[in-house]
Amino acid sequence: MKRIISTILVFVLVLASFTACGKEEKETTNPEPTTAAENSDTDTAEEPVEEAEVPALSGKIVIATNMTNVVDTTLKDLAQGFMDANPGTEIIYEAIKDYETVVATRISGGEAPDIYMSIDGMTPDTLADYFLPLDDLDIKWDDILFSRNNTGSDGKIYAIADSVGYTGIVYNKAAFKAAGVESVPRTMDEFWTVCEKLKAAGITPMVTAFKDIWPIYPWCDWNIAQLAMNGDPKGKNLYVDKDEIYDETILTYMNIIREMNKKGYLEADIMSANWDQLKLDMAQGKAGMYYIETWFPQQVVDAGANKEDVGMFPFPEAKYVYSTAGKSYGVSKDCENPDLAKAYLKYMIEGGKHALAVSTIPADTTAQIDDVFAAELMSFGVPAGNSDITVTAFMDIKNQIELDDQGFLLSYVLEPDDAKAKALCDEWNAKWAAARADIVK
Amino acid sequence: MKSKMKDKITVTGFLLIPVILLILFSYYPLYKLFQISLSNWNGMSPDIKIIGFDNYKEVLSGKEYLSSIWNNMAYVITAIVQQFVGLFLAILLDSNLKLKKTFRAIIFMPYIINGVAVAFMFNYMYDFTNSPINMILKVIGLEEHVIRFISLDYSSNFALSFISFWKYVGFTMVIFLAALQSISREVYEAARVDGAGFFSLIRHITFPNIKNMFQISILLSINGSLQAYLEPFVITKGGPNGRTATVIVKSLELAFQYNKFGKAAALGVILLFIILAIVVIQRTFLKESDK
């Protein structure tokens, strides 16, 4: 009897496991976007002639975003606006926190979202592997800033930036006032004086959120350094012809922040200085300055600062205010409803609707913007400039030697010994030279 | 005959499911890992180009990868210390101590807390500005002695490995406690009658009786410490300058920051062989000592 029960149990277990496998397979091979696209195909297949006459959009697409804070508010409203204008369509924003990793994994699994931002590792040579060309998008390309930034090696455009950012120093006016600073620094001498005054008033002169690594990117970006110091738009591309990735220009820039650390102008312990604390300190006037882009001041306001207390000025003695493209969106190569995806992409970009929904400055120059922080930044008379599109070779060399420029900046700033700090740079320069010889024939 | 057949079906049925699951979720991914380690796959492209053992050569000749193995050693050392502390606590709580059940529960509790939550908690503890430890030091007038938990030197790895120690020492204690409680009290009584003292009891009775459990525990701990990644991943992201990057952190960095999945897989395979080597060495020693 026991054996019979055991046999039945085993049989049930085996059957259950296979049933579960079957179900799982069904689920994975029919993700929501595909099913929706198939539905739309079925719907439209019934009346092909009429569809040709009336190219109504239908079906569902999924857009991946890393803007987790607005996915249920402004982005939802944005999508609703499109759906109201195009009945029968469904636009879904999917919030992904660890964006790059998750999207890369989904791309490799053939389950990329219908619209997603280009991610690290995509080069002009490989854009066509991931995105559909957008050249047929009915959009005024000349009105969109940085519209050619995501051109593939074949000359086609594969992604389009929704926004633009201007780099400068965000400062807390109340903190400046408390420290007795009456005007923003225009020269480096004035800058050091301001730092000293802020420190004397018990205010952290410059915050970095070094622990989170990425927030310090303007201090080690070759494009920003070349444009600000030398007014050279070639930026990163210059280094494809040089054996030194850490040359005098970038090191002068990096040495400013290193010097600030030595003088105690940064957070008390930069190894534990984090992003959330940075925003709070800026909002509460415990910190005076932060070098970043125009998307940041609004976050300080959101963290509790008075809008009137937050401002921006250009980096002292900078020849240009560096402007750069925001996130670039493209339509997945595997998208099964490309007409709808492209229509929505156009809707996002035109009039800067998406950029405004996420509180950034639209790349569409025809869009009405009312960004007081950008306006103040530009009021100092330093012209805005941008760098040339980075060539693939730069990224290839950097990737081959596995240079994490932001991580390296932390090590460089933390190294107290000048000779050792220089040796660290020499080490990367030697690697760069070797890889360059290998890649740039 | 029928009965034997039924037995075979039953046994085969029970074996089939775990074997299938093992093949599907352990051996097949392992095979894929090895396959990817021989390629230059970028993690996204449908094309995978086989490049032979180049990834292994690069990993074994790159000092940053070797230093990540060296960083793991801090976790291994901590794991070994953890065994002795766990054993000490077990011996202590196996005695007639008052409130021993309460102490057992308190010491074991960190083990049941989620690893990410623990890492975030220590992220706060190790924060120079907001750390409660530093705040207490400031309050009691020891402001000059505030601690920089994460610094440029190797000690940062010990600060991070201490988190594992805190989390797992209770588990180690429970394992040893179970072993200790399986030793007959009569043996101790007899030894005491023969005049054995506390240390003599531990050396001649406790240790020999829990040797097997000790070996299993240390194997599990070393295995875990070589695979440590959560603490540096959440707290330092392997920085500064790779100082706290363990092998797994380095592997994740290679895969997701530089899109070098092949090289990341090679590093994973090397780690697998290191763990295998440790298992083999330990088993060899085990056999030697059994003789």
Side-chain angles (χ1 to χ4, degrees):
Chain A
M1 187 62 187
K2 278 181 185 173
R3 279 179 185 163
I4 293 170
I5 293 169
S6 304
T7 313
I8 292 168
L9 266 174
V10 169
F11 182 72
V12 169
L13 269 173
V14 172
L15 205 66
S17 71
F18 280 115
T19 314
C21 290
K23 192 185 175 197
E24 197 172 325
E25 192 183 346
K26 193 179 174 186
E27 280 173 1
T28 50
T29 50
N30 291 298
E32 281 186 335
T34 319
T35 313
E38 279 171 359
N39 287 344
S40 74
D41 286 344
T42 319
D43 292 345
T44 51
E46 286 173 6
E47 295 173 336
V49 181
E50 278 182 28
E51 188 195 333
E53 287 169 359
V54 187
L57 297 165
S58 63
K60 181 168 87 172
I61 56 162
V62 175
I63 304 158
T65 179
N66 63 343
M67 302 298 290
T68 51
N69 54 333
V70 289
V71 72
D72 291 325
T73 53
T74 52
L75 287 181
K76 197 175 177 185
D77 295 342
L78 182 71
Q80 192 58 51
F82 181 86
M83 289 188 283
D84 291 345
N86 298 276
T89 60
E90 192 179 355
I91 311 296
I92 293 174
Y93 272 96
E94 184 187 351
I96 301 174
K97 198 162 185 238
D98 188 8
Y99 195 88
E100 298 256 334
T101 308
V102 172
V103 170
T105 308
R106 284 176 56 174
I107 293 169
S108 68
E111 292 179 359
D114 297 301
I115 297 177
Y116 61 94
M117 296 185 285
S118 63
I119 57 174
D120 280 350
M122 293 179 174
T123 61
D125 292 342
T126 59
L127 280 171
D129 295 338
Y130 310 114
F131 295 116
L132 290 174
L134 298 174
D135 300 71
D136 57 343
L137 205 65
D138 181 22
I139 202 167
K140 287 180 182 168
W141 290 100
D142 293 338
D143 289 343
I144 313 293
L145 293 170
F146 304 108
S147 60
R148 312 279 163 190
N149 265 28
N150 289 286
T151 304
S153 304
D154 55 3
K156 292 177 181 171
I157 297 170
Y158 286 96
I160 184 165
D162 74 321
S163 60
V164 57
Y166 297 93
T167 311
I169 295 180
V170 178
Y171 71 112
N172 187 305
K173 292 176 185 176
F176 269 44
K177 201 176 170 185
V181 180
E182 289 169 1
S183 60
V184 300
R186 307 292 295 272
T187 64
M188 281 313 293
D189 287 343
E190 288 174 7
F191 178 74
W192 292 118
T193 309
V194 168
C195 288
E196 193 52 47
K197 281 185 177 178
L198 286 165
K199 189 186 174 190
I203 296 163
T204 308
M206 179 70 73
V207 278
T208 56
F210 245 124
K211 189 186 169 190
D212 289 322
I213 305 289
W214 69 266
I216 42 88
Y217 67 88
W219 290 102
C220 57
D221 186 283
W222 293 272
N223 279 345
I224 297 177
Q226 284 292 345
L227 200 71
M229 291 188 64
N230 304 332
D232 197 331
K234 291 193 193 77
K236 291 175 181 173
N237 295 347
L238 281 168
Y239 296 87
V240 174
D241 301 321
K242 291 176 79 166
D243 274 344
E244 284 184 329
I245 184 63
Y246 286 106
D247 66 347
E248 206 184 325
T249 302
I250 190 76
L251 282 181
T252 307
Y253 224 59
M254 287 165 59
N255 283 335
I256 295 171
I257 192 167
R258 188 158 176 266
E259 192 63 21
M260 292 180 88
N261 187 47
K262 278 185 177 177
K263 289 182 173 174
Y265 295 158
L266 306 181
E267 294 98 329
D269 178 34
I270 58 173
M271 273 306 290
S272 59
N274 63 73
W275 178 243
D276 292 330
Q277 191 68 45
L278 180 149
K279 283 200 284 187
L280 275 178
D281 287 351
M282 281 298 291
Q284 293 169 358
K286 289 181 184 170
M289 299 180 280
Y290 176 44
Y291 189 27
I292 195 72
E293 286 178 44
T294 37
W295 52 261
F296 178 69
Q298 186 57 44
Q299 295 200 15
V300 181
V301 175
D302 293 343
N306 289 325
K307 198 168 185 177
E308 303 77 43
D309 282 343
V310 185
M312 274 189 93
F313 63 87
F315 197 89
E317 297 179 14
K319 289 188 168 64
Y320 286 93
V321 166
Y322 178 72
S323 65
T324 182
K327 303 294 182 190
S328 295
Y329 290 84
V331 175
S332 167
K333 188 171 67 82
D334 301 323
C335 175
E336 296 193 27
N337 202 342
D339 291 341
L340 177 60
K342 284 185 180 182
Y344 189 72
L345 188 60
K346 182 187 171 191
Y347 169 80
M348 281 167 64
I349 304 297
E350 273 188 341
K353 287 188 275 297
H354 186 270
L356 293 170
V358 296
S359 301
T360 52
I361 301 169
D364 186 346
T365 52
T366 64
Q368 293 289 320
I369 60 157
D370 182 25
D371 192 298
V372 289
F373 309 113
E376 185 184 350
L377 176 66
M378 301 317 295
S379 71
F380 291 91
V382 180
N386 58 280
S387 299
D388 296 345
I389 299 167
T390 307
V391 294
T392 312
F394 178 88
M395 293 179 267
D396 287 346
I397 302 169
K398 189 167 169 272
N399 207 48
Q400 178 158 319
I401 63 172
E402 291 159 20
L403 170 57
D404 172 9
D405 46 325
Q406 291 155 23
F408 174 66
L409 178 63
L410 177 59
S411 317
Y412 185 73
V413 169
L414 280 173
E415 179 52 63
D417 188 286
D418 288 350
K420 282 184 183 171
K422 189 180 176 302
L424 287 172
C425 296
D426 291 344
E427 202 176 317
W428 280 115
N429 283 340
K431 283 184 182 177
W432 182 269
R436 198 180 78 80
D438 187 34
I439 289 170
V440 185
K441 303 287 181 191
Chain B
M1 188 64 189
K2 268 188 176 180
S3 170
K4 276 188 179 176
M5 195 60 154
K6 276 177 190 171
D7 283 351
K8 275 184 183 175
I9 291 169
T10 311
V11 171
T12 313
F14 272 115
L15 278 176
L16 207 60
I17 297 166
V19 167
I20 288 172
L21 291 176
L22 199 68
I23 290 170
L24 267 180
F25 297 111
S26 281
Y27 294 117
Y28 178 68
L30 188 65
Y31 161 72
K32 288 301 284 184
L33 182 80
F34 185 69
Q35 196 184 34
I36 291 169
S37 75
L38 301 174
S39 76
N40 66 348
W41 189 44
N42 70 357
M44 291 185 285
S45 171
D47 304 317
I48 300 179
K49 188 183 164 196
I50 299 296
I51 55 166
F53 287 92
D54 288 1
N55 288 326
Y56 289 91
K57 282 179 201 162
E58 279 185 42
V59 167
L60 293 171
S61 60
K63 68 173 185 182
E64 60 270 35
Y65 310 113
L66 299 177
S67 77
S68 70
I69 296 172
W70 178 239
N71 289 338
N72 265 98
M73 288 305 126
Y75 294 81
V76 173
I77 292 165
T78 309
I80 294 167
V81 174
Q82 181 190 312
Q83 302 310 307
F84 291 100
V85 176
L87 180 60
F88 172 74
L89 290 170
I91 293 170
L92 211 63
L93 296 176
D94 191 38
S95 64
N96 293 323
L97 202 73
K98 278 184 183 176
L99 295 172
K100 60 181 180 184
K101 283 186 179 172
T102 312
F103 285 126
R104 276 179 205 170
I106 290 170
I107 296 168
F108 184 71
M109 208 167 282
Y111 179 70
I112 57 172
I113 303 175
N114 175 280
V116 179
V118 170
F120 271 107
M121 191 182 77
F122 273 89
N123 196 15
Y124 176 62
M125 292 283 279
Y126 288 170
D127 188 303
F128 181 77
T129 318
N130 302 313
S131 167
I133 300 166
N134 281 346
M135 279 189 179
I136 292 167
L137 287 173
K138 282 176 192 170
V139 167
I140 60 172
L142 295 172
E143 196 159 351
E144 286 173 6
H145 298 283
V146 288
I147 308 162
R148 286 177 199 276
F149 296 95
I150 308 295
S151 60
L152 258 184
D153 54 44
Y154 191 76
S155 64
S156 300
N157 289 303
F158 284 106
L160 294 172
S161 63
F162 175 75
I163 301 171
S164 309
F165 175 90
W166 181 82
K167 183 170 159 60
Y168 292 105
V169 74
F171 179 70
T172 312
M173 178 198 74
V174 167
I175 288 181
F176 288 138
L177 207 53
L180 288 175
Q181 286 176 350
S182 68
I183 305 170
S184 169
R185 298 281 144 187
E186 287 162 8
V187 183
Y188 283 110
E189 295 293 327
R192 277 199 197 97
V193 170
D194 289 343
F198 177 74
F199 289 106
S200 210
L201 287 175
I202 290 177
R203 191 180 158 199
H204 297 293
I205 297 178
T206 309
F207 269 132
N209 278 292
I210 62 162
K211 199 181 82 180
N212 286 344
M213 202 59 100
F214 191 82
Q215 280 156 349
I216 289 168
S217 177
I218 204 160
L219 175 70
L220 289 174
S221 295
I222 291 175
N223 187 18
S225 61
L226 284 169
Q227 295 179 55
Y229 97 98
L230 201 64
E231 298 84 6
F233 189 74
V234 173
I235 296 175
T236 62
K237 295 175 181 68
N241 202 24
R243 177 61 75 196
T244 59
T246 58
V247 176
I248 304 279
V249 169
K250 197 75 200 164
S251 183
L252 287 170
E253 188 183 297
L254 279 171
F256 296 108
Q257 194 170 336
Y258 304 110
N259 302 304
K260 294 184 176 179
F261 277 71
K263 209 166 165 181
L267 199 54
V269 172
I270 288 169
L271 180 65
L272 178 80
F273 277 105
I274 292 172
I275 293 170
L276 275 177
I278 288 171
V279 172
V280 169
I281 290 167
Q282 200 178 358
R283 286 190 71 86
T284 312
F285 275 110
L286 260 174
K287 279 183 183 171
E288 287 293 319
S289 64
D290 284 348
K291 281 174 190 173

